[in-house]
């Protein structure tokens, strides 16, 4: 913690003896208490250090995470922190951890905390703000996690030019993964930063504005109100939009897509005591169905495969997820599809399936995948792939100088797949790419090397996932899927390419950390009965 003391000023401190020097071996950590504050005490390379004990993302206890070298990885969602400095090194958290003074004397370990910071569990990294005399503008298109982390990283690295974030949303960046898990949440509780924060660090956030075209020759963008805004460097971080339905009746009142905070509120309110039909067994579709299971009068889910998540997580986990929801009276119509949505007086009345089944419906929610938001780039010569994703290199650079891209809108080279170009929508990866883009804007060459980390929540149970499993040919299971306690290794070409778990922490965080250090995990290791290498 940075404390500025005048001459003769004494900062009140609390010091406690927390353990014997011999209590921890190298690579071990424990939670200790100083004052009323829980502290994570770590021993690495024969040296003790102490940092905040809770992950800055959702307050998970880091002592249950994984310590590899000088960094601890959160068991829940994979955020990483340096145990010597407390600095965040991998997302989805935003803030760093407080760092405390440690002293070893006469075989005893002492930790000291300033009284002022006893209650603080996280720390905002030091940042500069805008300097009016610097005539340089970085424009960020999109108000999601990539744009926010890009802006913060610029300010953390002494960039004092103008930063403008343009978003079509009504709100500044928010914790979007919560929208499909807790749809009736208050907007104030999911804002990633307060309005004071943006003001303090000179980050302009323009809400309800949309960029309609980009002109790289003039270094300018055109907004939907007709105005032009010049830039020196540009970040395209517009994310993806929900794929709309293509069947007749898609425009009826009561047909919903989940994209914004307002959409989530509307779905919640319109489904209370009503008949809800969810089209698509995507992660979003399943989370929405689970959320509505005790709020709507009935919930039906329509999927094109035999089980949800069949391609991504495999049929076994898909079947288990389906059973969890069926126990809450959610009805599934699998290996089926929608031919038409019928209405009365312009409002949804029923959904007609390919099988001939007709479902009564008051509200229809589509969760059938996403499309990168890149149409506004038409005519700009910024390169996009066949799926409309913006093509970037490992430095998050597009094919046009001074135009970078980050987040779900990108197609980027994935390190753990030998730089195979992929497009994935992961909250943590978007933040990591925002950071990498910012550093490269400032000529600090940095590559995107992050390991994809993902989670989904159904009825209070979290499935965690790390790696990139596309094209896997086999799954090796530990534990029992039907008992809802398992670890799944996804195998391709005799190596582990991804891992998923339920009630098996911190296994997924550990595999992510091994992948991050470049280790190859073999099928033989996954099949072995000895899982001591995973610390579970």
């Amino acid at each position: 913690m940075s404390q500025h003391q005048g001459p003769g000023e004494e900062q009140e401190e609390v010091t406690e003896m927390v353990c014997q020097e011999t209590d921890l071996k190298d690579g071990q950590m424990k939670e200790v208490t100083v004052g009323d504050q829980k502290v994570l005490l770590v021993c690495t390379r024969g040296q003790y250090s102490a940092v905040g004990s809770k992950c800055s993302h959702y307050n998970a206890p880091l002592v249950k995470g994984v310590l590899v070298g000088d960094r601890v990885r959160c068991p829940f969602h994979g955020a990483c922190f340096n145990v010597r400095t407390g600095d965040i090194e991998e997302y989805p958290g935003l803030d760093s951890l407080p760092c405390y003074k440690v002293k070893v004397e006469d075989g005893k370990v002492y930790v000291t905390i300033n009284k002022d910071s006893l209650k603080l569990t996280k720390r905002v990294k030091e940042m500069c703000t805008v300097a009016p005399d610097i005539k340089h503008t970085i424009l960020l298109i999109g108000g999601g996690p990539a744009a926010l982390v890009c802006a913060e990283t610029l300010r953390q690295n002494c960039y004092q030019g103008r930063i403008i974030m343009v978003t079509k949303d009504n709100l500044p960046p928010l914790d979007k993964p919560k929208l499909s898990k807790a749809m009736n949440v208050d907007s104030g509780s999911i804002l990633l930063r307060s309005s004071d924060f943006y003001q303090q660090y000179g980050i302009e956030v323009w809400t309800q504005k949309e960029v309609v075209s980009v002109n790289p020759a003039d270094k300018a963008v055109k907004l939907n109100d007709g105005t032009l805004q010049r830039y020196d460097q540009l970040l395209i971080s517009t994310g993806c939009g929900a794929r709309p339905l293509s069947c007749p009746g898609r425009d009826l009142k009561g047909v919903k897509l989940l994209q914004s905070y307002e959409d989530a509120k509307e779905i919640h309110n319109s489904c209370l005591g009503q008949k809800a039909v969810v089209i698509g067994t995507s992660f979003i579709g399943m989370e929405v169905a689970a959320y509505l299971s005790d709020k709507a009068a009935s919930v039906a889910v329509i999927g094109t495969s035999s089980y949800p998540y069949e391609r991504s997580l495999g049929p076994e986990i898909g079947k288990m997820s389906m059973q969890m929801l069926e126990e809450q009276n959610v009805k599934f119509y699998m290996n089926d599809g929608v031919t038409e949505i019928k209405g009365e007086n312009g409002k949804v009345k029923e959904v007609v399936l390919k099988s001939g089944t007709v479902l009564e419906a008051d509200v229809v929610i589509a969760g059938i995948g996403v499309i990168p938001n890149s149409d506004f780039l038409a005519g700009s010569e910024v390169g996009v792939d066949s799926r409309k994703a913006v093509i970037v290199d490992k430095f998050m650079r597009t094919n046009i100088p001074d135009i970078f891209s980050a987040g779900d809108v990108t197609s980027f080279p994935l390190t753990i797949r030998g730089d195979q170009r992929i497009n994935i929508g992961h909250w943590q990866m978007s933040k990591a790419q925002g950071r990498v883009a910012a550093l490269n804007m400032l000529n600090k060459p940095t590559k995107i090397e992050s390991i994809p980390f993902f989670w989904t929540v159904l009825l209070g149970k979290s499935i965690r996932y790390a790696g990139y499993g596309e094209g896997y040919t086999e799954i090796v299971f530990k534990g029992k899927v039907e008992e809802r306690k398992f670890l799944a290794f996804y195998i391709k070409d005799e190596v582990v390419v991804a891992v998923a778990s339920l009630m098996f922490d911190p296994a997924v965080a550990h595999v992510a950390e091994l992948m991050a250090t470049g280790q190859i995990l073999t099928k033989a290791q996954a099949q072995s009965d000895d899982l001591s290498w995973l610390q579970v």
Side-chain angles (χ1 to χ4, degrees):
M1 310 288 293
S2 57
Q3 293 288 351
H4 303 291
Q5 287 166 265
E9 257 185 67
E10 273 304 310
Q11 196 75 42
E12 276 197 80
E13 292 179 329
V14 181
T15 299
E16 293 204 17
M17 195 271 279
V18 290
C19 71
Q20 301 292 325
E21 190 179 0
T22 51
D23 285 358
L24 288 187
K25 295 186 179 68
D26 249 6
Q28 288 186 328
M29 52 186 177
K30 74 184 269 189
E31 207 175 68
V32 297
T33 306
V34 179
D36 295 331
Q37 183 66 284
K38 285 185 173 163
V39 170
L40 185 71
L41 185 70
V42 183
C43 181
T44 52
R45 299 199 302 273
Q47 269 188 314
Y48 274 91
S49 56
V51 292
S53 67
K54 290 179 178 168
C55 178
S56 65
H57 181 226
Y58 290 163
N59 295 318
L62 291 172
V63 72
K64 293 187 172 170
V66 176
L67 179 66
V68 174
D70 277 345
R71 78 177 192 174
V72 62
R73 187 181 277 264
C74 173
F76 287 8
H77 308 116
C80 295
F81 304 89
N82 185 298
V83 294
R84 295 197 183 279
T85 63
D87 285 352
I88 188 163
E89 292 187 352
E90 184 58 88
Y91 304 94
L94 266 178
D95 288 324
S96 296
L97 305 176
C99 190
Y100 307 118
K101 283 192 281 194
V102 181
K103 188 172 71 171
V104 180
E105 210 170 67
D106 301 329
K108 295 180 171 62
V109 180
Y110 298 87
V111 174
T112 301
I113 303 184
N114 291 329
K115 274 197 173 156
D116 286 355
S117 55
L118 260 181
K119 295 279 174 274
L120 299 179
T121 58
K122 47 193 182 185
R123 162 178 68 86
V124 176
K125 266 191 182 175
E126 222 164 280
M127 289 195 259
C128 66
T129 189
V130 66
D133 54 325
I134 294 178
K135 301 294 176 225
H136 190 279
T137 299
I138 295 181
L139 184 66
L140 315 172
I141 311 177
L148 177 61
V149 172
C150 181
E152 293 194 20
T153 305
L154 290 168
R155 291 289 188 238
Q156 287 162 6
N157 285 273
C158 307
Y159 173 74
Q160 291 192 282
R162 194 175 174 198
I163 300 176
I164 306 170
M165 187 189 299
V166 181
T167 172
K168 61 183 180 190
D169 291 336
N170 298 326
L171 295 166
L174 45 85
D175 193 358
K176 222 172 174 183
K178 281 196 174 150
L179 292 184
S180 50
K181 300 170 180 69
M183 305 184 78
N184 194 32
V185 68
D186 172 57
S187 67
S189 69
I190 57 169
L191 291 178
L192 293 174
R193 296 295 192 197
S194 67
S195 52
D196 291 353
F197 178 92
Y198 298 109
Q199 215 163 346
Q200 184 178 351
Y201 298 112
I203 299 166
E204 297 174 49
V205 182
W206 295 359
T207 53
Q208 296 174 292
K209 283 188 190 286
E210 197 172 345
V211 172
V212 292
S213 65
V214 176
N215 182 338
D218 294 348
K219 286 201 159 181
V221 303
K222 189 177 177 185
L223 300 168
N224 55 344
D225 59 8
T227 58
L228 289 176
Q229 174 58 50
R230 283 189 48 76
Y231 65 81
D232 292 285
Q233 289 171 303
L234 184 70
L235 182 75
I236 299 161
S237 48
T238 42
C240 290
R243 186 182 291 280
L245 293 167
S246 54
C247 61
R250 62 184 178 273
D251 298 324
L252 288 166
K253 190 174 184 301
V255 177
K256 314 278 187 197
L257 297 173
L258 174 55
Q259 304 193 92
S260 66
Y261 170 75
E262 290 76 18
D263 294 339
K265 269 269 193 262
E266 208 177 289
I267 290 169
H268 168 88
N269 291 330
S270 62
C271 286
L272 294 175
Q274 302 293 306
K275 295 185 273 289
V277 173
V278 177
I279 302 173
T281 52
S282 62
F283 290 105
I284 298 287
M286 288 289 283
E287 287 184 350
V288 169
Y291 173 80
L292 293 174
S293 62
D294 62 349
K295 296 169 188 74
S298 63
V299 180
V301 178
I302 303 152
T304 53
S305 52
S306 300
Y307 298 109
Y309 318 141
E310 194 162 350
R311 274 185 55 230
S312 53
L313 298 181
E316 297 87 351
I317 297 174
K319 184 180 180 183
M320 176 209 74
S321 308
M322 191 162 140
Q323 286 170 342
M324 283 169 66
L325 268 63
E326 284 174 335
E327 287 162 16
Q328 305 302 312
N329 299 314
V330 174
K331 295 222 168 358
F332 283 85
Y333 298 84
M334 301 303 288
N335 294 314
D336 216 333
V338 177
T339 54
E340 187 185 357
I341 302 170
K342 289 186 168 171
E344 199 172 78
N345 303 326
K347 194 181 177 320
V348 169
K349 190 157 192 285
E350 51 192 29
V351 178
V352 183
L353 305 188
K354 286 179 179 160
S355 58
T357 305
V358 178
L359 305 175
E360 287 183 45
D362 300 306
V363 186
V364 173
I365 304 111
I368 55 169
V370 294
I371 303 170
N373 291 322
S374 62
D375 286 352
F376 69 97
L377 295 171
S380 71
E381 293 184 4
V382 172
V384 298
D385 69 9
S386 57
R387 284 195 61 251
K388 293 188 172 183
V390 178
I391 298 166
V392 292
D393 62 12
K394 291 192 83 111
F395 302 95
M396 309 318 294
R397 300 177 300 204
T398 68
N399 59 318
I400 307 280
D402 290 323
I403 300 186
F404 297 76
S405 186
D408 295 3
V409 75
T410 62
S411 172
F412 71 99
L414 183 65
T415 303
I416 55 166
R417 275 297 188 94
D419 291 344
Q420 175 191 336
R421 194 170 284 293
I422 69 162
N423 166 247
I424 47 172
H426 289 353
W427 192 242
Q428 148 270 346
M429 188 59 85
S430 292
K431 290 183 173 180
Q433 292 183 355
R435 173 181 171 271
V436 169
L439 292 171
N440 289 304
M441 284 175 172
L442 300 175
N443 289 321
K444 297 186 176 189
T446 310
K447 292 178 179 178
I448 184 73
E449 306 275 20
S450 290
I451 306 300
F453 200 107
F454 172 81
W455 73 97
T456 187
V457 182
L458 297 174
L459 307 168
K461 295 261 191 266
S462 285
I463 296 173
R464 317 199 195 288
Y465 182 95
Y468 184 66
E470 195 200 39
Y472 71 86
T473 52
E474 191 182 344
I475 308 176
V476 174
F477 288 100
K478 303 289 171 190
K480 288 200 164 70
V481 177
E482 59 274 20
E483 289 173 12
R484 297 174 194 176
K485 183 180 173 158
F486 65 84
L487 177 61
F489 294 101
Y490 296 84
I491 312 294
K492 184 179 187 221
D493 302 329
E494 300 296 304
V495 300
V496 176
V497 289
V499 61
S501 81
L502 176 61
M503 305 291 289
F504 226 98
D505 291 338
V508 170
H510 199 118
V511 171
E513 214 36 21
L514 294 175
M515 286 178 166
T517 56
Q519 290 193 42
I520 303 289
L521 304 174
T522 63
K523 176 179 166 181
Q525 269 174 295
Q527 286 173 323
S528 159
D529 288 336
D530 177 17
L531 282 186
S532 58
W533 59 279
L534 266 183
Q535 295 180 350
V536 285

